[in-house]
């Protein structure tokens, strides 16, 4: 049964879980009638949002993200925080099932009354999934969650999308030393504000500490002496819940520094502008691909480009010409 705008607003602001879940479903929906209601809801909620720590968490599959978020989130709720877990997993749009943010992977947090775990939206492009997650952040903040963790897999463009919606980005990694350091993608290192080497327990602990020292040295070189912030490299064990307080301390330190220097507000404003243009790009591209004339022209144009009968530049011009006049 459909519910009214007012019921959504009151339910979300009152922290009612069932209404929060429905509000997120509404925000994720791509149906035109849902989209306008979702925008009305977000407009009402916006004045109550913005007060959380928005933290992105990334790391390759196997690094222990679920175990980490379960333990880290549980530590935070014990400290009195209210924790929301969202996810951006564009691969789930292909498989139809969400891998990240799955409640069964976070057993303690899933049943914690001070936490709310939401799997990645499963429909649309990365742009669509990112938009739904950004808007879900507004819902969670209005509902009183003061820590929002946004999880993503350590592959592809999804990390950049997440870095662009959070204040601080945490990268989880495993013990690698020397040459293996090269294995960590530079692009991901550039996004990271705090790095933690997970599984620093039992026989792996020494390797983890060595790897952390080496990585910290590499980052100091990368960032230079006068950098505003050089990402600290810590060690933790998600399984044994050790080192998690240190990770939290550094995340808080980074955010406090951003806030006290005015960078936090500026960063969030810049993100709004980036999102605006990202949405314009997505919408335009969607319309272009749906355009009947473009669709009918495409196979022949592609054939000609492949056969070397037409340059890519001319083919692009033809497509835009048809779209403009179509
Ligand atoms: N020794 C040790 N093992 C860990 C730790 N954290 C996670 N693991 C193990 O690593 C494996 C992968 O952990 P998951 O939490 O599923 O993490 P993930 O592979 O990043 O998976 P997704 O979260 O599904 O992407 C599991 O077998 C965990 O038990 C840790 O701190 N120490």
């Amino acid at each position: 049964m459909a519910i009214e705008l007012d019921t959504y607003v009151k339910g979300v602001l009152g922290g009612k879980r069932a209404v929060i879940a429905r509000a997120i479903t509404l925000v994720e929906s791509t149906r035109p009638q849902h989209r306008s209601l979702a925008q009305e809801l977000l407009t009402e909620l916006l004045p109550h949002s913005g007060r959380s720590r928005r933290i992105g968490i990334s790391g390759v599959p196997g690094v222990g993200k679920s175990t980490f978020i379960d333990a880290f989130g549980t530590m935070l709720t014990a400290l009195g925080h209210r924790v929301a877990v969202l996810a951006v997993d564009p691969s789930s749009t292909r498989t139809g099932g969400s891998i990240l943010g799955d409640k069964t992977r976070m057993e303690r947090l899933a049943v914690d009354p001070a936490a709310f775990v939401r799997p990645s939206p499963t429909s649309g492009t990365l742009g669509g999934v990112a938009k739904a997650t950004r808007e879900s952040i507004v819902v969670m903040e209005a509902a009183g969650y003061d820590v929002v963790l946004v999880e993503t897999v350590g592959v592809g463009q999804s990390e950049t999308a997440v870095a662009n919606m959070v204040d601080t980005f945490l990268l989880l990694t495993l013990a690698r030393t020397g040459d293996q350091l090269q294995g960590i993608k530079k692009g991901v290192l550039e996004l990271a504000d705090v790095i933690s080497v997970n599984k620093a327990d039992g026989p792996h602990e020494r390797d983890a500490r060595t790897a952390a020292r080496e990585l910290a040295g590499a980052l100091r070189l990368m960032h230079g002496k006068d950098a505003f912030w050089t990402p600290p490299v810590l060690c933790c064990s998600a399984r044994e819940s050790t080192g998690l307080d240190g990770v939290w301390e550094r995340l808080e330190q980074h955010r406090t520094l951003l806030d006290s220097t005015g960078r936090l507000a500026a960063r969030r404003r810049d993100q709004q502008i980036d999102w605006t243009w990202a949405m314009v790009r997505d919408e335009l591209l969607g319309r272009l691909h749906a355009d009947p004339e473009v669709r009918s022209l495409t196979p022949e144009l592609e054939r000609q480009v492949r056969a070397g009968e037409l340059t890519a530049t001319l083919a692009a011009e033809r497509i835009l010409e048809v779209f403009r006049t179509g």
Side-chain angles (χ1 to χ4, degrees):
M1 210 182 70
I3 57 175
E4 303 280 320
L5 177 63
D6 198 42
T7 314
Y8 274 117
V9 175
K10 286 208 181 89
V12 170
L13 293 180
K16 295 212 166 55
R17 298 182 79 92
V19 182
I20 297 168
R22 289 192 62 171
I24 295 180
T25 305
L26 180 73
V27 158
E28 288 174 354
S29 172
T30 48
R31 292 216 217 138
Q33 74 269 32
H34 288 167
R35 288 185 67 159
S36 59
L37 183 59
Q39 290 310 311
E40 282 179 55
L41 173 61
L42 290 166
T43 307
E44 295 283 328
L45 298 181
L46 216 49
H48 305 278
S49 71
R51 283 188 284 266
S52 82
R53 288 114 165 131
R54 303 172 184 171
I55 300 166
I57 301 183
S58 180
V60 292
V63 75
K65 284 187 297 299
S66 331
T67 314
F68 178 87
I69 294 175
D70 198 35
F72 191 63
T74 303
M75 175 191 82
L76 293 178
T77 60
L79 288 172
H81 292 289
R82 295 189 65 208
V83 179
V85 181
L86 302 172
V88 171
D89 177 13
S91 64
S92 67
T93 63
R94 263 176 271 135
T95 58
S98 180
I99 303 164
L100 294 187
D102 184 344
K103 289 185 188 172
T104 56
R105 297 181 318 138
M106 295 167 197
E107 286 172 7
R108 276 180 293 170
L109 216 51
V111 295
D112 188 330
F116 195 104
V117 181
R118 179 79 179 189
S120 174
T122 54
S123 69
T125 55
L126 170 60
V129 170
K131 170 180 174 289
T133 306
R134 283 196 310 261
E135 295 182 339
S136 299
I137 294 178
V138 173
V139 174
M140 300 316 302
E141 289 180 345
Y145 291 87
D146 66 323
V147 179
V148 179
L149 306 176
V150 186
E151 180 187 12
T152 187
V153 279
V155 286
Q157 293 296 307
S158 53
E159 276 162 333
T160 316
V162 169
N164 216 7
M165 66 177 85
V166 297
D167 308 322
T168 301
F169 197 84
L170 168 68
L171 175 69
L172 294 178
T173 186
L174 295 174
R176 299 163 199 257
T177 56
D179 288 349
Q180 286 178 288
L181 275 182
Q182 310 288 333
I184 306 178
K185 284 179 291 167
K186 189 151 179 280
V188 180
L189 276 187
E190 278 163 5
L191 296 176
D193 299 305
V194 177
I195 298 171
S196 189
V197 180
N198 191 34
K199 307 195 185 181
D201 47 43
H204 316 293
E205 192 176 342
R206 261 187 62 194
D207 286 348
R209 303 221 173 267
T210 310
R213 259 196 313 278
E214 288 190 19
L215 187 53
L219 282 161
R220 271 195 299 275
L221 284 178
M222 204 168 112
H223 286 260
K225 260 210 333 259
D226 305 322
F228 165 72
W229 173 266
T230 300
V233 186
L234 310 162
C235 287
C236 67
S237 166
R239 198 163 70 185
E240 296 183 358
S241 289
T242 52
L244 304 180
D245 47 351
V247 173
W248 176 241
E249 202 178 298
R250 290 315 198 107
L251 291 170
E252 282 287 84
Q253 200 184 353
H254 177 255
R255 192 178 183 282
T256 306
L257 186 64
L258 283 185
D259 203 7
S260 63
T261 52
R263 283 176 161 88
L264 185 66
R267 184 183 165 110
R268 287 185 172 186
R269 279 195 301 271
D270 289 347
Q271 287 177 341
Q272 300 284 346
I273 300 292
D274 281 355
W275 299 347
T276 307
W277 286 107
M279 280 187 280
V280 170
R281 271 194 302 275
D282 276 2
E283 179 65 31
L284 274 180
L285 214 54
R287 285 191 208 173
L288 181 103
H289 288 306
D291 185 279
E293 294 204 43
V294 171
R295 288 171 74 112
S296 72
L297 189 70
T298 301
E300 176 56 16
L301 276 184
E302 287 189 356
R303 190 200 62 75
Q304 290 181 3
V305 173
R306 277 206 190 90
E309 296 164 14
L310 190 68
T311 65
T313 307
L314 283 175
E317 275 176 19
R318 288 279 299 282
I319 290 170
L320 290 171
E321 195 61 34
V322 166
F323 183 50
R324 220 176 291 144
T325 55

